[in-house]
Amino acid sequence: MSKRDDLIEKYAEDIKNKFGEAPDMDLLTKVTIGLGPSIYNLDASKVSGGDEKELETVKNNYLIKKLGMADSPKLMEAIKTVMDKYGSANRNKHRAVVYYMLCKHFKKASVY
């Protein structure tokens, strides 16, 4: 297995264990590939749930630019909901999992 496949397996486990959902492996793979080389960078591959600047980046770069959504308070609410479900005690919030959950939340799989 490639390093990317190993990471996708790790992300799938997080979705099962933290969110109680069976992951859509096809969508998860597409979201992961869409993140490019950032998944291999320890810092870039994670999202800091307590950092407002980081959450704004997720909103602007992913929800607005990538998924083509209009800016509204609903975007930040959804991000915070995903962060809460991921668990505040969990320091390793993988960006691919956060993006996948947001993509599912807004029913934007068609973007991929």
Side-chain angles (χ1 to χ4, degrees), residues 11 30-39 44 62 95-97 99 112:
Y11 302 153
K30 289 176 181 174
V31 169
T32 303
I33 291 169
L35 285 166
S38 70
I39 62 170
Y62 184 65
R95 188 171 302 277
V97 174
Y99 284 16
Y112 290 96

Side-chain angles (χ1 to χ4, degrees), residues 53-72:
K53 191 171 168 233
E54 174 89 18
L55 300 181
E56 280 293 321
T57 301
V58 170
K59 182 181 87 169
N60 293 324
N61 292 354
Y62 184 65
L63 296 177
I64 296 172
K65 288 180 185 169
K66 175 77 178 168
L67 298 186
M69 304 190 66
D71 193 1
S72 79

Side-chain angles (χ1 to χ4, degrees), residues 2 12 38 40 42 49 53 69 75 77 87-88 90 112:
S2 72
S38 70
Y40 306 111
L42 196 60
K53 191 171 168 233
M69 304 190 66
L75 301 184
E77 285 170 25
S88 57
N90 180 11
Y112 290 96

